mmCIF file of all heavy atoms in Angstrom:
data_model
loop_
_atom_site.group_PDB
_atom_site.id
_atom_site.type_symbol
_atom_site.label_atom_id
_atom_site.label_comp_id
_atom_site.label_asym_id
_atom_site.label_seq_id
_atom_site.Cartn_x
_atom_site.Cartn_y
_atom_site.Cartn_z
ATOM 1 N N HIS A 187 87.631 330.996 130.770
ATOM 2 C CA HIS A 187 86.900 330.911 129.501
ATOM 3 C C HIS A 187 87.826 331.157 128.301
ATOM 4 O O HIS A 187 87.797 330.431 127.322
ATOM 5 C CB HIS A 187 85.753 331.926 129.494
ATOM 6 C CG HIS A 187 85.073 332.033 128.171
ATOM 7 N ND1 HIS A 187 84.224 331.059 127.695
ATOM 8 C CD2 HIS A 187 85.149 332.983 127.206
ATOM 9 C CE1 HIS A 187 83.797 331.413 126.493
ATOM 10 N NE2 HIS A 187 84.337 332.572 126.185
ATOM 11 N N THR A 188 88.657 332.177 128.411
ATOM 12 C CA THR A 188 89.493 332.605 127.288
ATOM 13 C C THR A 188 90.586 331.599 126.949
ATOM 14 O O THR A 188 90.887 331.377 125.781
ATOM 15 C CB THR A 188 90.129 333.975 127.603
ATOM 16 O OG1 THR A 188 89.093 334.910 127.910
ATOM 17 C CG2 THR A 188 90.945 334.487 126.438
ATOM 18 N N TYR A 189 91.184 330.985 127.960
ATOM 19 C CA TYR A 189 92.396 330.195 127.729
ATOM 20 C C TYR A 189 92.218 328.680 127.852
ATOM 21 O O TYR A 189 93.176 327.933 127.721
ATOM 22 C CB TYR A 189 93.500 330.659 128.683
ATOM 23 C CG TYR A 189 93.883 332.104 128.473
ATOM 24 C CD1 TYR A 189 93.843 333.008 129.525
ATOM 25 C CD2 TYR A 189 94.273 332.569 127.229
ATOM 26 C CE1 TYR A 189 94.187 334.342 129.346
ATOM 27 C CE2 TYR A 189 94.615 333.898 127.035
ATOM 28 C CZ TYR A 189 94.570 334.778 128.091
ATOM 29 O OH TYR A 189 94.917 336.088 127.897
ATOM 30 N N SER A 190 91.015 328.198 128.085
ATOM 31 C CA SER A 190 90.818 326.754 128.265
ATOM 32 C C SER A 190 91.224 325.943 127.040
ATOM 33 O O SER A 190 91.893 324.909 127.155
ATOM 34 C CB SER A 190 89.363 326.446 128.624
ATOM 35 O OG SER A 190 89.088 326.915 129.908
ATOM 36 N N LYS A 191 90.835 326.386 125.854
ATOM 37 C CA LYS A 191 91.120 325.621 124.641
ATOM 38 C C LYS A 191 92.622 325.544 124.364
ATOM 39 O O LYS A 191 93.152 324.461 124.091
ATOM 40 C CB LYS A 191 90.387 326.241 123.449
ATOM 41 C CG LYS A 191 90.513 325.436 122.183
ATOM 42 C CD LYS A 191 89.662 326.019 121.061
ATOM 43 C CE LYS A 191 89.810 325.219 119.791
ATOM 44 N NZ LYS A 191 89.026 325.787 118.692
ATOM 45 N N ILE A 192 93.329 326.672 124.447
ATOM 46 C CA ILE A 192 94.768 326.644 124.177
ATOM 47 C C ILE A 192 95.509 325.911 125.294
ATOM 48 O O ILE A 192 96.521 325.251 125.047
ATOM 49 C CB ILE A 192 95.339 328.065 123.942
ATOM 50 C CG1 ILE A 192 96.753 327.976 123.345
ATOM 51 C CG2 ILE A 192 95.336 328.892 125.205
ATOM 52 C CD1 ILE A 192 96.852 327.357 121.986
ATOM 53 N N ALA A 193 94.993 325.956 126.503
ATOM 54 C CA ALA A 193 95.608 325.194 127.596
ATOM 55 C C ALA A 193 95.539 323.696 127.297
ATOM 56 O O ALA A 193 96.510 322.965 127.528
ATOM 57 C CB ALA A 193 94.925 325.515 128.924
ATOM 58 N N ARG A 194 94.398 323.240 126.766
ATOM 59 C CA ARG A 194 94.266 321.824 126.389
ATOM 60 C C ARG A 194 95.247 321.472 125.267
ATOM 61 O O ARG A 194 95.828 320.384 125.251
ATOM 62 C CB ARG A 194 92.838 321.508 125.965
ATOM 63 C CG ARG A 194 91.886 321.325 127.132
ATOM 64 C CD ARG A 194 90.538 320.743 126.719
ATOM 65 N NE ARG A 194 89.851 321.518 125.684
ATOM 66 C CZ ARG A 194 89.092 322.582 125.925
ATOM 67 N NH1 ARG A 194 88.918 323.004 127.161
ATOM 68 N NH2 ARG A 194 88.504 323.214 124.925
ATOM 69 N N THR A 195 95.437 322.396 124.332
ATOM 70 C CA THR A 195 96.397 322.156 123.248
ATOM 71 C C THR A 195 97.796 321.956 123.818
ATOM 72 O O THR A 195 98.506 321.013 123.430
ATOM 73 C CB THR A 195 96.397 323.330 122.244
ATOM 74 O OG1 THR A 195 95.094 323.441 121.668
ATOM 75 C CG2 THR A 195 97.426 323.126 121.147
ATOM 76 N N PHE A 196 98.205 322.812 124.743
ATOM 77 C CA PHE A 196 99.541 322.675 125.333
ATOM 78 C C PHE A 196 99.635 321.434 126.215
ATOM 79 O O PHE A 196 100.686 320.787 126.259
ATOM 80 C CB PHE A 196 99.926 323.949 126.099
ATOM 81 C CG PHE A 196 100.593 324.956 125.206
ATOM 82 C CD1 PHE A 196 99.835 325.825 124.439
ATOM 83 C CD2 PHE A 196 101.973 325.018 125.094
ATOM 84 C CE1 PHE A 196 100.430 326.745 123.591
ATOM 85 C CE2 PHE A 196 102.586 325.928 124.250
ATOM 86 C CZ PHE A 196 101.812 326.797 123.492
ATOM 87 N N GLU A 197 98.564 321.087 126.879
ATOM 88 C CA GLU A 197 98.543 319.843 127.668
ATOM 89 C C GLU A 197 98.751 318.646 126.730
ATOM 90 O O GLU A 197 99.529 317.732 127.029
ATOM 91 C CB GLU A 197 97.224 319.699 128.425
ATOM 92 C CG GLU A 197 97.145 318.487 129.313
ATOM 93 C CD GLU A 197 97.894 318.630 130.617
ATOM 94 O OE1 GLU A 197 97.806 319.681 131.261
ATOM 95 O OE2 GLU A 197 98.572 317.660 130.994
ATOM 96 N N ASN A 198 98.097 318.670 125.585
ATOM 97 C CA ASN A 198 98.264 317.593 124.600
ATOM 98 C C ASN A 198 99.685 317.554 124.048
ATOM 99 O O ASN A 198 100.227 316.473 123.795
ATOM 100 C CB ASN A 198 97.248 317.740 123.471
ATOM 101 C CG ASN A 198 95.846 317.403 123.918
ATOM 102 O OD1 ASN A 198 95.643 316.666 124.879
ATOM 103 N ND2 ASN A 198 94.853 317.958 123.230
ATOM 104 N N LEU A 199 100.299 318.719 123.868
ATOM 105 C CA LEU A 199 101.696 318.756 123.428
ATOM 106 C C LEU A 199 102.584 318.080 124.473
ATOM 107 O O LEU A 199 103.465 317.281 124.122
ATOM 108 C CB LEU A 199 102.157 320.194 123.186
ATOM 109 C CG LEU A 199 103.655 320.358 122.896
ATOM 110 C CD1 LEU A 199 104.074 319.603 121.632
ATOM 111 C CD2 LEU A 199 104.015 321.837 122.796
ATOM 112 N N MET A 200 102.365 318.370 125.730
ATOM 113 C CA MET A 200 103.197 317.776 126.782
ATOM 114 C C MET A 200 102.993 316.259 126.853
ATOM 115 O O MET A 200 103.953 315.508 127.056
ATOM 116 C CB MET A 200 102.900 318.430 128.137
ATOM 117 C CG MET A 200 103.152 319.929 128.174
ATOM 118 S SD MET A 200 104.776 320.424 127.552
ATOM 119 C CE MET A 200 104.459 322.130 127.145
ATOM 120 N N ILE A 201 101.784 315.808 126.660
ATOM 121 C CA ILE A 201 101.504 314.367 126.617
ATOM 122 C C ILE A 201 102.232 313.742 125.427
ATOM 123 O O ILE A 201 102.835 312.669 125.541
ATOM 124 C CB ILE A 201 99.978 314.106 126.547
ATOM 125 C CG1 ILE A 201 99.328 314.506 127.869
ATOM 126 C CG2 ILE A 201 99.679 312.648 126.197
ATOM 127 C CD1 ILE A 201 97.812 314.596 127.818
ATOM 128 N N TYR A 202 102.206 314.411 124.289
ATOM 129 C CA TYR A 202 102.898 313.935 123.093
ATOM 130 C C TYR A 202 104.404 313.830 123.359
ATOM 131 O O TYR A 202 105.041 312.836 122.995
ATOM 132 C CB TYR A 202 102.617 314.897 121.931
ATOM 133 C CG TYR A 202 102.925 314.346 120.569
ATOM 134 C CD1 TYR A 202 101.918 313.808 119.782
ATOM 135 C CD2 TYR A 202 104.214 314.368 120.051
ATOM 136 C CE1 TYR A 202 102.187 313.306 118.522
ATOM 137 C CE2 TYR A 202 104.487 313.864 118.794
ATOM 138 C CZ TYR A 202 103.472 313.332 118.031
ATOM 139 O OH TYR A 202 103.746 312.835 116.793
ATOM 140 N N ILE A 203 104.955 314.850 124.015
ATOM 141 C CA ILE A 203 106.392 314.838 124.347
ATOM 142 C C ILE A 203 106.706 313.663 125.273
ATOM 143 O O ILE A 203 107.701 312.956 125.085
ATOM 144 C CB ILE A 203 106.824 316.183 124.962
ATOM 145 C CG1 ILE A 203 106.819 317.270 123.874
ATOM 146 C CG2 ILE A 203 108.191 316.074 125.627
ATOM 147 C CD1 ILE A 203 106.988 318.681 124.400
ATOM 148 N N LYS A 204 105.871 313.437 126.276
ATOM 149 C CA LYS A 204 106.077 312.304 127.190
ATOM 150 C C LYS A 204 106.151 310.998 126.416
ATOM 151 O O LYS A 204 106.994 310.141 126.691
ATOM 152 C CB LYS A 204 104.937 312.214 128.212
ATOM 153 C CG LYS A 204 104.997 313.214 129.314
ATOM 154 C CD LYS A 204 103.802 312.971 130.251
ATOM 155 C CE LYS A 204 103.650 314.041 131.274
ATOM 156 N NZ LYS A 204 102.485 313.824 132.139
ATOM 157 N N ARG A 205 105.249 310.822 125.466
ATOM 158 C CA ARG A 205 105.244 309.598 124.658
ATOM 159 C C ARG A 205 106.502 309.487 123.813
ATOM 160 O O ARG A 205 107.049 308.397 123.655
ATOM 161 C CB ARG A 205 103.996 309.550 123.760
ATOM 162 C CG ARG A 205 102.808 308.938 124.479
ATOM 163 C CD ARG A 205 101.663 308.727 123.533
ATOM 164 N NE ARG A 205 100.749 309.837 123.754
ATOM 165 C CZ ARG A 205 99.961 310.374 122.874
ATOM 166 N NH1 ARG A 205 99.910 309.915 121.655
ATOM 167 N NH2 ARG A 205 99.185 311.371 123.180
ATOM 168 N N LYS A 206 106.937 310.612 123.250
ATOM 169 C CA LYS A 206 108.126 310.604 122.387
ATOM 170 C C LYS A 206 109.387 310.203 123.142
ATOM 171 O O LYS A 206 110.301 309.643 122.562
ATOM 172 C CB LYS A 206 108.343 311.975 121.744
ATOM 173 C CG LYS A 206 107.387 312.344 120.645
ATOM 174 C CD LYS A 206 107.689 311.689 119.318
ATOM 175 C CE LYS A 206 108.971 312.155 118.697
ATOM 176 N NZ LYS A 206 109.376 311.338 117.555
ATOM 177 N N ILE A 207 109.428 310.524 124.439
ATOM 178 C CA ILE A 207 110.639 310.208 125.207
ATOM 179 C C ILE A 207 110.400 309.122 126.254
ATOM 180 O O ILE A 207 111.237 308.895 127.115
ATOM 181 C CB ILE A 207 111.239 311.476 125.852
ATOM 182 C CG1 ILE A 207 110.256 312.180 126.767
ATOM 183 C CG2 ILE A 207 111.753 312.421 124.803
ATOM 184 C CD1 ILE A 207 110.831 313.393 127.460
ATOM 185 N N ASN A 208 109.250 308.472 126.148
ATOM 186 C CA ASN A 208 108.918 307.342 127.031
ATOM 187 C C ASN A 208 108.996 307.689 128.514
ATOM 188 O O ASN A 208 109.615 306.975 129.302
ATOM 189 C CB ASN A 208 109.845 306.147 126.730
ATOM 190 C CG ASN A 208 109.660 305.654 125.328
ATOM 191 O OD1 ASN A 208 108.543 305.555 124.823
ATOM 192 N ND2 ASN A 208 110.781 305.365 124.661
#
Side-chain angles (χ1 to χ4, degrees):
H187 172 74
T188 304
Y189 298 125
S190 291
K191 186 175 179 182
I192 193 64
R194 281 191 304 276
T195 299
F196 272 84
E197 183 78 44
N198 288 336
L199 173 61
M200 300 310 158
I201 291 167
Y202 197 98
I203 289 170
K204 284 181 189 178
R205 273 188 260 150
K206 287 282 293 169
I207 58 178
N208 298 318

